[in-house]
Amino acid sequence: QVQLVESGGGWVKPGGSLRLSCAASGFTFSDYYMSWIRQVPGKGLDWVSYISTGGSAMYYADSVKGRFTISRDNAKNSLYLQMNSLRAEDTAVYYCARVFEGGADYWGQGTLVTVSS
Amino acid sequence: QSVLTQPPSASGTPGQRVTISCSGSSSNIGSKTVNWYQQLPGTAPKLVIYSNNQRPSGVPDRFSGSKSGTSASLAISGLQSEDEADYYCAAWDDSLTGLYVFGTGTKVTVL
């Protein structure tokens, strides 16, 4: 079955950096676009970024453009999100999700990122 | 950056039918298919309806979806206690390059 497991979350000071990882299994990873979606605890869902199957095309929400970088390693069935210049408003649970034509189908359990001094 | 509008709450007694609306625009719901997610407390969202009205394998047929113009709806018939959760609609948006937009979310309470 499809499984997505995020890691790398934690506490970081404003201006700091963090790298999230997502390990995928149960499907042919290289056949799917992949995405990161975040949710401030108790609030709604926000699309952060997604990446094409081969990694050549990436899209970002305006709120993270220039600070976050999405990447993938198809040989390792892994998705990454490098987050730089972190701000308090980036505090959220970050989900890795598989993308199908209509949107996101399978989601990981999420990893919490806390940006605070 | 919720672009799609949902009522904040909905409720019903066990066995009743509950309907949740999702309002968008011509650049999202009006021209794209709609998905619905269920988020139980403390868990990740789960896809319950895709392509406006299709149920993924394993989702009970109590869940149904529809779309008309720039609005969509999720209906839960025969409401059960385990349906108590937050529900979000979502769709791609042509006006925001590469963005997948979500609804504001609706908390469904089983009375």
Side-chain angles (χ1 to χ4, degrees):
Chain A
Q1 72 281 21
V2 173
Q3 194 166 13
L4 299 168
V5 180
E6 302 93 338
S7 61
W11 174 80
V12 62
K13 290 183 177 181
S17 298
L18 216 53
R19 189 194 195 208
L20 305 183
S21 299
C22 171
S25 61
F27 65 102
T28 303
F29 182 72
S30 57
D31 283 349
Y32 288 85
Y33 278 47
M34 295 295 296
S35 65
W36 289 98
I37 300 165
R38 68 184 181 184
Q39 183 175 35
V40 174
K43 302 296 184 182
L45 299 163
D46 280 331
W47 186 269
V48 175
S49 177
Y50 73 91
I51 188 169
S52 60
T53 53
S56 60
M58 293 84 77
Y59 300 88
Y60 299 93
D62 286 343
S63 57
V64 306
K65 206 170 290 183
R67 301 186 299 120
F68 290 11
T69 302
I70 190 171
S71 62
R72 64 190 297 162
D73 186 334
N74 287 342
K76 294 182 177 180
N77 290 340
S78 293
L79 176 72
Y80 307 100
L81 186 67
Q82 178 66 44
M83 304 185 295
N84 299 330
S85 302
L86 282 161
R87 306 167 179 166
E89 55 264 36
D90 295 318
T91 295
V93 174
Y94 284 74
Y95 295 102
C96 160
R98 191 178 79 168
V99 179
F100 72 111
E101 183 179 343
D105 51 9
Y106 290 94
W107 301 51
Q109 85 288 349
T111 186
L112 176 64
V113 172
T114 302
V115 184
S116 172
S117 55
Chain B
Q1 60 191 45
S2 297
V3 174
L4 308 179
T5 302
Q6 299 177 233
S9 63
S11 63
T13 57
Q16 277 190 328
R17 175 184 171 95
V18 168
T19 302
I20 303 167
S21 62
C22 175
S23 178
S25 67
S26 58
S27 65
N28 41 67
I29 294 178
S31 56
K32 304 294 183 185
T33 58
V34 179
N35 303 317
W36 289 90
Y37 299 93
Q38 175 194 62
Q39 187 173 32
L40 298 169
T43 70
K46 172 190 172 185
L47 184 68
V48 292
I49 293 289
Y50 68 97
S51 296
N52 302 328
N53 55 18
Q54 302 299 302
R55 280 188 312 277
S57 174
V59 174
D61 60 6
R62 303 183 290 104
F63 291 87
S64 62
S66 63
K67 189 185 95 166
S68 178
T70 58
S71 294
S73 294
L74 173 72
I76 310 172
S77 58
L79 193 65
Q80 299 183 7
S81 58
E82 57 261 38
D83 299 332
E84 186 161 293
D86 293 322
Y87 291 84
Y88 295 90
C89 58
W92 292 104
D93 193 303
D94 276 339
S95 69
L96 302 167
T97 306
L99 268 197
Y100 187 61
V101 293
F102 292 94
T104 49
T106 299
K107 169 68 176 178
V108 169
T109 301
V110 182
L111 301 172

